[in-house]
Amino acid sequence: GVTHLVSILDPARDPLTAFDAYGPHDRIDLRFHDIVEELPDQMAPVEQHLDSVLSFGRRLSAAAGPADHLLVHCHMGISRSTAAMTLILAQARPDLDAAQALAEVVRIRPQAWPNLRMLEIGGDMLGRRAELLEALREVYARRAAGQTEWLRFLRENNRSREVAHMG
């Protein structure tokens, strides 16, 4: 029943063919690494990527019907996809505060750890950066509670800025 798909993968990853079986659907394919800092030999998310996500979201919102179903995915389904979904929801539902938008994403994907860089860039584009980043603190803090291995993984993989964002 997927009618709309946002696919986010690493640049060198082969295209996924599983979605070909979904039948006709509106789709965007984005390629960038799940990083929050500029790193050599890696492509960080940039404004152009987030503009594509938000443009796709505007098209979907303008034409969505009750039978439409959006799937947003990335390699692990934790960081890039949840950041993209947060931004799409924050744009489509400006009546929701950022905490409500993030809570809905976490309800759908409890292991969510939205990519900080994506929310910074996309938040700027929506004029909601401060609100999104403040609400993100709670999501990170809840997700990190008792997860020493997860926090070590983040620190070892150039994502200390996200850990520090918890406050």
Side-chain angles (χ1 to χ4, degrees):
V2 171
T3 58
H4 297 79
L5 173 66
V6 176
S7 178
I8 307 171
L9 295 172
D10 290 349
R13 175 111 187 206
D14 288 336
L16 298 179
T17 58
F19 301 120
D20 296 344
Y22 283 16
H25 57 273
D26 191 2
R27 173 180 181 164
I28 61 169
D29 292 286
L30 300 170
R31 299 299 182 128
F32 55 88
H33 291 99
D34 188 15
I35 57 177
V36 297
E37 304 294 346
E38 296 283 341
L39 296 172
D41 301 322
Q42 294 206 15
M43 178 180 290
V46 295
E47 189 172 323
Q48 180 182 3
H49 297 124
L50 281 300
D51 184 56
S52 294
V53 168
L54 293 172
S55 293
F56 188 84
R58 281 190 299 275
R59 286 194 316 274
L60 173 58
S61 291
D68 287 332
H69 180 91
L70 170 64
L71 173 64
V72 182
H73 90 91
C74 63
H75 181 73
M76 298 288 291
I78 295 172
S79 182
R80 291 172 288 185
S81 59
T82 60
M85 191 64 233
T86 299
L87 293 168
I88 290 169
L89 185 57
Q91 175 181 251
R93 295 284 313 273
D95 58 309
L96 292 179
D97 65 36
Q100 292 171 307
L102 279 159
E104 179 61 13
V105 170
V106 170
R107 184 190 68 76
I108 294 166
R109 196 72 176 151
Q111 63 271 52
W113 185 275
N115 181 292
L116 177 63
R117 182 183 177 103
M118 291 176 66
L119 288 186
E120 289 169 337
I121 296 167
D124 283 343
M125 296 170 79
L126 294 175
R128 297 184 73 176
R129 179 183 177 137
E131 178 192 9
L132 284 165
L133 296 186
E134 184 57 36
L136 185 61
R137 288 182 196 284
E138 178 63 26
V139 172
Y140 281 176
R142 241 181 290 120
R143 172 73 165 81
Q147 299 292 322
T148 55
E149 290 299 312
W150 173 248
L151 295 172
R152 185 166 48 81
F153 169 83
L154 291 168
R155 287 185 188 101
E156 290 173 355
N157 287 279
N158 301 298
R159 296 188 70 160
S160 293
R161 203 160 60 84
E162 289 175 324
V163 175
H165 187 73
M166 290 187 296

